Amino acid sequence: MAEAEGISSATPTEEMNGAGNLMDFLDEPIPDVGTYEDFHTIDWLREKSRDTDRHRKITNRSKESIWEFVKSLLDAWSGWVVMLLIGLLSGTLAGVIDLAVDWMTDLKEGVCLSAFWYSHEQCCWTSNETTFADRDKCPQWQKWAELMTGYTEGAGVYLLNYFLYVLWALFFSFLAVSLVRVFAPYACGSGIPEIKTILSGFIIRGYLGKWTLLIKTVTLVLAVSSGLSLGKEGPLVHVACCCGNLFCSLFSKYSKNEGKRREVLSAAAAAGVSVAFGAPIGGVLFSLEEVSYYFPLKTLWRSFFAALVAAFTLRSINPFGNNRLVLFYVEYHTPWYMAELVPFILLGVFGGLWGTLFIRGNIAWCRRRKTTQLGKYPVLEVIVVTGITAILAFPNPYTRRSTSELISELFNDCGALESSQLCDYINNPNMSRPEDDIPDRPAGKGVYMALWQLALALIFKIVITIFTFGMKIPSGLFIPSMAVGAIAGRIVGIAVEQMAYHHHDWIIFKNWCRPGADCVTPGLYAMVGAAACLGGVTRMTVSLVVIMFELTGGLEYIVPLMAAAVTSKWVADAFGKEGIYEAHIRLNGYPYLDQDEFTHRTLATDVMRPRRNEPPLSVLTQDSTTVEDVETLIKETDYNGFPVVVSRESERLIGFVQRRDLILAIKNARQKQDGVVSNSVVYFTEDAPQLPASNPQPLKLRRILNLSPFTVTDHTPMETVVDIFRKLGLRQCLVTRSGRLLGIITKKDVLRHMAQMMNQDPESIMFN
């Protein structure tokens, strides 16, 4: 089954001075001390301090010999090597996924007789009998009904093609959900909410394992090919992070330090977006703006390098056959005009409203799935949604094709060589203009027919995407959101274009739209609408605009994209601050501290435990607790760690010890050290007193004691405490008054308190 994320072992930092008859078995590091259990939060400060010590040791050793110096150079370069490997593997996987999706999407409709592994487009490229007008038709490519019956037209042929389209879609989705369910349950969904949570310091073992990587790659192809309203872009971030985690295990610098590992995963997320959209700079900004929690400057450079290598690898594979990184590359020949900002901003409003509708609808459906019988039948749910999608999608040519192809057609400008229905304009026979600068023309029957079909496609996509995202198969949200926006944008674009043509004497068109000029580009409206809807759902701004202009090559249109992105964020934020990923994090109860300001006037004493009427805090004393006492405390409580005090009377704080480290240390001591029995005294002091020979062998555990736990006073405002937890990545914080221990605040306590202050259920925070 799923592979674990990797194991880190502590490098103790404090130097020891052993007492005469006292054996400190911790002179050698214990395996697994300093690691974390599943569904626990890492201690960023401890990881940072451990890496600093490791680096100091390597630097000191490098002066001893040539070999040690070479080892220090290898250690310094290991980060760049990991980035290179991540870029190469994620770029290769993305290229393979793109090629496989193309082939399997076309397989639902027909097969290439000359080579069955060719998609429709590749099949007709190789044909010598294809004309430009009918470039989609060639004798080598046959639809299933034609292959089986020999007929190309008729009701029976249509129904047979319809039936086989639905059958293939059901087969692909059933295979995808079955593989996920049996081999890698973590391979479902988009993965970005969990990646955000992992990058904030949470451990989800197996989420980035080898099995998850393999199954997610295979099932992503199946899910997208089934024709469901989902994309491959979000899951590609998960795939790239799995690659990052895989390569971390090759270098102890990353495999033994969870903080360093998360720096690599941040860069891997950038590589994932880079290959998903062919947008290396957008990928780096996406990682910085949307998913990363801790993003030092060094990680920025490495993310840039990983994204560059990934994009270069994808470009070498050339999955789209157009020598571009992306499918949606467009070239518009008309500038935009100031008056057009009005429809662009209206598209931004639409994007914000759609984002709000989608988040509320999808979260309500996902909550229903979690709390009712529906959640027990994931395979049936996928089959039903796929069946409904395929049955409704086939009759409409705009929903039958893959969503990426649909967006590509909606983005396209109508040139002289376009044969699309959207470009069925009435041409003026006297027109003699350059081919790339065709003036605005009246819409023909094909355009009006296409508008009706697009309007139906828009309603269909809006409704079905709400029910599709969150099912137990890999499902991205970027492409369906962009499709909704692109359809709405193209409809608005054609409307504005026809208004400008028929009413060019109106005051709004008079200044910039002369008769016979090419004024309005409907494809640009589709691009702006796509950005607005994606922004409304995810609440991205800077990275969204950069991704969009890298995606389309439309550098000239940054201002319209910015206007739409900002408007959609403002409108969506008016109804609720959470984007779709934050909403899913909250729904799943992950312990994620978001960046919103905490404005309530409460104090640390209001949140710390123990509260009034609760039993006192479980503590260990520095020199009067026996091994049996420690084992009893561990058995009777489920706390993640225990404060160590001078004595129960004084309660002067000495330090803090992790539960997992205590368990491992005692287990190791019982196995390797003679004389350690249940009534052996545990010492956390620097020097132990001389003991009579008749006394059992003591156990000295000072090296697993954190001597500098983070403390606040009981009157510290919670606003400050929340900020400390957020910026330092703490697991827990001790509350003192004049050096005397009063209580403890954990990350879970902070999250529960924040939920309570926002009138939410504090018990929805499920994990430690």
Side-chain angles (χ1 to χ4, degrees):
M1 276 300 291
E3 293 284 325
E5 264 197 319
I7 291 172
S8 56
S9 62
T11 309
T13 55
E14 294 90 354
E15 292 299 322
M16 292 304 307
N17 298 315
N21 70 335
L22 188 67
M23 172 175 174
D24 185 356
F25 79 100
L26 277 170
D27 279 340
E28 292 179 14
I30 314 170
D32 291 353
V33 160
T35 62
Y36 304 94
E37 291 178 37
D38 203 4
F39 297 121
H40 281 64
T41 305
I42 70 167
D43 188 332
W44 285 91
L45 285 179
R46 184 164 72 158
E47 299 301 300
K48 178 79 176 159
S49 147
R50 191 185 291 168
D51 184 60
T52 306
D53 289 335
R54 185 196 64 80
H55 194 261
R56 194 183 299 123
K57 279 183 183 174
I58 287 172
T59 307
N60 292 338
R61 282 182 193 157
S62 67
K63 297 167 186 169
E64 294 170 10
S65 67
I66 296 288
W67 173 236
E68 290 295 339
F69 178 69
V70 171
K71 275 166 72 176
S72 72
L73 284 179
L74 290 172
D75 179 78
W77 273 93
S78 60
W80 296 101
V81 174
V82 170
M83 295 307 135
L84 178 69
L85 294 171
I86 289 169
L88 290 170
L89 184 57
S90 54
T92 305
L93 287 175
V96 170
I97 287 168
D98 285 334
L99 291 168
V101 164
D102 270 1
W103 173 63
M104 288 175 70
T105 302
D106 288 343
L107 196 63
K108 289 185 303 191
E109 294 191 37
V111 68
C112 186
L113 300 180
S114 55
F116 75 90
W117 57 88
Y118 278 174
S119 68
H120 188 168
E121 195 175 9
Q122 289 166 330
C123 191
C124 291
W125 275 344
T126 56
S127 171
N128 297 323
E129 299 157 58
T130 311
T131 63
F132 188 81
D134 292 325
R135 54 189 176 277
D136 290 339
K137 293 175 185 170
C138 57
Q140 285 87 345
W141 178 265
Q142 286 200 352
K143 293 194 172 178
W144 291 111
E146 187 186 347
L147 194 66
M148 291 174 180
T149 64
Y151 295 105
T152 54
E153 289 179 3
V157 170
Y158 181 81
L159 289 171
L160 184 56
N161 278 328
Y162 198 157
F163 173 72
L164 288 167
Y165 178 92
V166 175
L167 206 63
W168 275 112
L170 290 170
F171 172 66
F172 289 157
S173 63
F174 174 72
L175 202 54
V177 71
S178 303
L179 286 170
V180 167
R181 198 167 180 212
V182 174
F183 294 106
Y186 281 149
C188 68
S190 124
I192 292 179
E194 286 77 10
I195 298 292
K196 281 188 78 156
T197 310
I198 288 169
L199 289 179
S200 76
F202 195 54
I203 302 268
I204 308 179
R205 299 226 178 270
Y207 199 82
L208 302 173
K210 297 185 191 76
W211 267 109
T212 308
L213 172 61
L214 178 65
I215 298 299
K216 185 118 188 180
T217 306
V218 173
T219 53
L220 180 54
V221 173
L222 290 164
V224 175
S225 304
S226 70
L228 282 164
S229 183
L230 47 84
K232 60 182 183 295
E233 283 63 25
L236 274 172
V237 175
H238 187 184
V239 166
C241 286
C242 288
C243 297
N245 192 58
L246 180 70
F247 293 124
C248 278
S249 59
L250 304 178
F251 299 89
S252 61
K253 175 180 178 179
Y254 298 109
S255 65
K256 294 183 176 180
N257 190 301
E258 294 292 347
K260 295 294 287 178
R261 184 197 297 271
R262 274 151 183 75
E263 290 180 24
V264 171
L265 296 180
S266 287
V273 174
S274 170
V275 291
F277 289 112
I281 300 168
V284 176
L285 290 173
F286 174 83
S287 182
L288 174 61
E289 181 183 358
E290 189 64 24
V291 296
S292 292
Y293 198 81
Y294 171 61
F295 203 84
L297 192 60
K298 182 170 59 178
T299 306
L300 182 72
W301 302 332
R302 288 184 176 169
S303 302
F304 188 75
F305 179 64
L308 165 73
V309 174
F312 175 77
T313 308
L314 185 67
R315 172 70 179 74
S316 306
I317 295 169
N318 192 19
F320 305 114
N322 59 1
N323 289 324
R324 306 264 182 213
L325 275 173
V326 285
L327 187 59
F328 311 139
Y329 190 82
V330 288
E331 287 179 288
Y332 301 136
H333 305 289
T334 315
W336 62 277
Y337 299 92
M338 284 303 289
E340 289 183 286
L341 275 178
V342 175
F344 292 152
I345 287 168
L346 288 175
L347 283 171
V349 172
F350 171 77
L353 294 173
W354 144 250
T356 304
L357 168 73
F358 175 79
I359 291 168
R360 292 193 177 174
N362 181 251
I363 292 298
W365 181 250
C366 289
R367 186 171 287 118
R368 188 179 177 81
R369 185 187 290 128
K370 284 174 94 76
T371 55
T372 63
Q373 294 290 314
L374 180 67
K376 294 180 181 174
Y377 306 103
V379 178
L380 184 65
E381 184 192 5
V382 170
I383 292 294
V384 169
V385 173
T386 308
I388 293 168
T389 304
I391 288 165
L392 295 177
F394 187 84
N396 187 338
Y398 292 108
T399 49
R400 187 190 312 170
R401 69 186 60 187
S402 77
T403 316
S404 297
E405 285 178 22
L406 169 64
I407 295 170
S408 184
E409 183 170 332
L410 293 169
F411 281 6
N412 265 342
D413 195 9
C414 282
L417 305 177
E418 287 295 330
S419 59
S420 160
Q421 204 179 5
L422 279 169
C423 296
D424 181 24
Y425 289 93
I426 298 166
N427 286 317
N428 180 354
N430 303 323
M431 181 182 75
S432 58
R433 299 292 295 268
E435 284 188 349
D436 63 348
D437 187 22
I438 296 172
D440 288 348
R441 300 157 289 169
K445 280 184 184 175
V447 175
Y448 288 114
M449 182 71 175
L451 284 176
W452 274 109
Q453 290 171 340
L454 283 176
L456 291 170
L458 179 64
I459 295 163
F460 169 69
K461 289 277 183 195
I462 283 174
V463 175
I464 206 74
T465 308
I466 288 171
F467 296 98
T468 306
F469 187 70
M471 291 197 303
K472 296 298 178 192
I473 49 171
S475 53
L477 190 57
F478 284 36
I479 288 292
S481 301
M482 285 172 67
V484 168
I487 294 170
R490 187 78 187 208
I491 292 170
V492 170
I494 292 172
V496 172
E497 180 192 48
Q498 293 306 303
M499 278 171 63
Y501 177 80
H502 291 291
H503 305 284
H504 52 76
D505 52 344
W506 284 9
I507 193 159
I508 51 168
F509 300 121
K510 213 170 189 177
N511 296 333
W512 57 276
C513 195
R514 300 181 315 280
D518 180 12
C519 306
V520 180
T521 308
L524 171 60
Y525 286 74
M527 191 165 98
V528 170
C533 282
L534 187 52
V537 171
T538 61
R539 309 297 161 85
M540 298 178 344
T541 48
V542 181
S543 54
L544 171 68
V545 171
V546 175
I547 285 171
M548 286 306 295
F549 82 69
E550 282 190 276
L551 184 65
T552 55
L555 197 61
E556 200 180 325
Y557 305 103
I558 288 181
V559 172
L561 290 169
M562 287 172 76
V566 169
T567 308
S568 74
K569 181 169 169 60
W570 281 342
V571 171
D573 280 352
F575 294 97
K577 294 282 182 191
E578 285 181 330
I580 187 69
Y581 302 130
E582 290 77 17
H584 272 272
I585 285 171
R586 192 158 58 81
L587 179 71
N588 291 325
Y590 296 135
Y592 181 79
L593 265 176
D594 55 31
Q595 303 299 325
D596 290 342
E597 283 184 28
F598 183 83
T599 53
H600 303 279
R601 301 187 61 150
T602 48
L603 301 175
T605 189
D606 303 324
V607 181
M608 74 176 192
R609 288 180 300 161
R611 310 264 166 82
R612 289 190 187 91
N613 309 321
E614 283 184 359
L617 195 64
S618 300
V619 296
L620 300 171
T621 55
Q622 66 174 358
D623 54 9
S624 59
T625 311
T626 63
V627 170
E628 187 178 17
D629 294 337
V630 175
E631 288 178 329
T632 305
L633 187 62
I634 287 168
K635 195 179 289 181
E636 290 176 354
T637 64
D638 59 354
Y639 304 131
N640 287 331
F642 306 96
V644 178
V645 293
V646 173
S647 66
R648 292 184 191 280
E649 294 74 38
S650 74
E651 292 201 325
R652 296 281 171 195
L653 182 66
I654 301 292
F656 190 85
V657 64
Q658 298 289 346
R659 174 198 188 87
R660 182 175 169 82
D661 294 356
L662 266 180
I663 294 168
L664 290 165
I666 291 172
K667 182 183 172 187
N668 205 54
R670 282 189 181 279
Q671 288 171 353
K672 294 186 177 177
Q673 186 178 342
D674 294 332
V676 172
V677 290
S678 293
N679 59 344
S680 296
V681 178
V682 176
Y683 285 95
F684 291 101
T685 51
E686 188 80 34
D687 299 306
Q690 294 291 334
L691 297 170
S694 59
N695 280 27
Q697 182 80 11
L699 178 60
K700 192 173 179 189
L701 296 181
R702 187 173 175 86
R703 283 183 98 166
I704 64 168
L705 179 66
N706 176 6
L707 289 165
S708 54
F710 210 93
T711 59
V712 294
T713 67
D714 54 335
H715 287 289
T716 306
M718 272 310 290
E719 187 181 352
T720 307
V721 174
V722 169
D723 239 17
I724 290 168
F725 268 87
R726 208 178 263 148
K727 288 174 179 166
L728 296 180
L730 299 183
R731 289 182 91 186
Q732 69 278 315
C733 168
L734 300 172
V735 183
T736 60
R737 183 191 291 161
S738 308
R740 185 169 164 268
L741 181 68
L742 295 181
I744 186 169
I745 298 174
T746 64
K747 189 174 182 180
K748 197 171 176 180
D749 294 328
V750 172
L751 286 159
R752 279 180 168 157
H753 181 65
M754 289 171 77
Q756 217 168 351
M757 292 291 104
M758 290 188 284
N759 299 318
Q760 294 166 359
D761 176 19
E763 295 310 310
S764 63
I765 312 299
M766 297 191 298
F767 299 116
N768 293 307

